[in-house]
Amino acid sequence: MPITVRRRGAPAQAESEGPSTLRRVLAGAARVGSGVLATPVGMVPSPPTTAAAGAIGSLGELLAQRIEGSPYNLKRALVEGSIAAVPFGKLIKGGRALQSAVRSGALSGAGEAGRELSMGEELSPSSIGLTTLLGGATGGILGKLTPPMLR
């Protein structure tokens, strides 16, 4: 914890709780970066690629926790690794917007619930619902914009 020096008679400043804005931004970048790295690895489902994508997701979360200066939460890292291990190609299907929306929304909502539980929080229906809607909308848009694969 940093030592602060104040002049005699100067009012005490309230200490901020949690990481600084810069640390939160850098931690968010680590989480997004690990997701971006894990996506192409897990595009083709196979045991080695699924394990590698999961490991990238978990390590990205642990890096983010280190950047934030928070204690390691291995449960949260396992949740993030589990989400990253789901093959992208199994979620988003070209030309199938509704199916893609349902799959990605379900994964997003389950992921948010897992995050909340892993941090010892009570489940927040509004947070889980919003995350489900955003994940579903993203999946639906990607499913609509992705051309269907020929069989």
Side-chain angles (χ1 to χ4, degrees):
M1 187 158 224
I3 299 173
T4 58
V5 178
R6 65 180 173 106
R7 292 185 324 211
R8 185 179 303 218
Q13 295 179 352
E15 289 188 32
S16 64
E17 292 194 21
S20 68
T21 301
L22 176 61
R23 285 183 176 266
R24 283 186 295 204
V25 168
L26 292 173
R31 289 181 176 108
V32 169
S34 68
V36 169
L37 288 173
T39 298
V41 173
M43 286 287 256
V44 179
S46 72
T49 59
T50 299
I56 292 169
S58 291
L59 291 173
E61 175 57 31
L62 292 172
L63 174 62
Q65 291 173 14
R66 178 159 179 110
I67 291 169
E68 290 172 338
S70 58
Y72 287 126
N73 183 336
L74 295 179
K75 291 178 185 175
R76 170 101 190 247
L78 287 173
V79 168
E80 299 301 333
S82 299
I83 292 168
V86 175
F88 184 77
K90 293 288 185 182
L91 287 177
I92 308 299
K93 299 288 186 184
R96 297 183 180 170
L98 182 60
Q99 291 175 350
S100 298
V102 169
R103 286 188 196 105
S104 60
L107 180 65
S108 298
E112 179 61 20
R115 286 182 198 99
E116 291 175 6
L117 291 173
S118 72
M119 294 187 303
E121 299 174 357
E122 289 186 27
L123 292 178
S124 166
S126 62
S127 176
I128 294 168
L130 180 61
T131 304
T132 301
L133 286 173
L134 289 173
T138 303
I141 291 167
L142 290 174
K144 180 72 174 173
L145 297 178
T146 304
M149 299 293 289
L150 298 175
R151 293 181 190 210

